[in-house]
């Protein structure tokens, strides 16, 4: 069984109780979150799990009225590819 949950400042995908993917973020001043790390277990890569987790952080930012600085390279690439993230993208 696979589930996506929020754990503190991270969204995590677990399968049978084991973490298989995560994206972490941290507050960076008032109204801003920094996505600082994305991880997917090697055997699970290519299944768009990291994409799903970035989407969850974007949804969280919208719900909490935050903007996002995509500091990790994967998050930055996703934000550059997806126009629908423009509303939460805090550009430097």
């Amino acid at each position: 069984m696979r589930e996506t949950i929020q754990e503190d400042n991270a969204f995590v995908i677990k399968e049978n109780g084991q973490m298989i993917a995560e994206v972490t973020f941290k507050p960076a001043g008032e109204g801003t979150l920094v996505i600082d790390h994305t991880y997917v277990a090697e055997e699970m890569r290519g299944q768009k799990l990291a994409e799903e987790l970035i989407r969850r952080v974007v949804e969280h930012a919208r719900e909490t009225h935050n903007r996002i600085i995509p500091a990790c390279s994967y998050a930055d690439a996703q934000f550059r590819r997806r126009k629908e993230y423009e509303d939460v993208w805090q550009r430097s």
Side-chain angles (χ1 to χ4, degrees), residues 8-39:
D8 298 318
N9 288 340
F11 281 94
V12 177
I13 297 176
K14 292 186 176 184
E15 189 169 79
N16 300 320
Q18 298 291 334
M19 191 265 295
I20 59 171
E22 75 173 344
V23 62
T24 61
F25 56 92
K26 60 185 176 190
E30 187 67 32
T32 306
L33 302 173
V34 175
I35 297 176
D36 58 355
H37 176 72
T38 304
Y39 167 79

Side-chain angles (χ1 to χ4, degrees), residues 4-92:
T4 303
I5 57 173
Q6 184 174 357
E7 293 182 346
D8 298 318
N9 288 340
F11 281 94
V12 177
I13 297 176
K14 292 186 176 184
E15 189 169 79
N16 300 320
Q18 298 291 334
M19 191 265 295
I20 59 171
E22 75 173 344
V23 62
T24 61
F25 56 92
K26 60 185 176 190
E30 187 67 32
T32 306
L33 302 173
V34 175
I35 297 176
D36 58 355
H37 176 72
T38 304
Y39 167 79
V40 177
E42 191 171 335
E43 65 275 9
M44 303 308 259
R45 292 181 185 163
Q47 298 182 35
K48 301 186 184 252
L49 299 178
E51 251 181 76
E52 166 66 17
L53 292 173
I54 296 293
R55 187 181 62 75
R56 293 292 295 267
V57 177
V58 168
E59 290 172 0
H60 173 73
R62 287 178 179 138
E63 291 167 2
T64 58
H65 308 287
N66 282 293
R67 297 189 48 87
I68 296 172
I69 299 170
C72 85
S73 59
Y74 182 83
D76 184 62
Q78 286 296 305
F79 272 70
R80 291 178 189 281
R81 279 189 209 121
R82 298 189 177 278
K83 297 283 188 223
E84 65 266 28
Y85 294 169
E86 287 285 328
D87 64 315
V88 294
W89 190 356
Q90 178 68 51
R91 296 177 185 262
S92 303

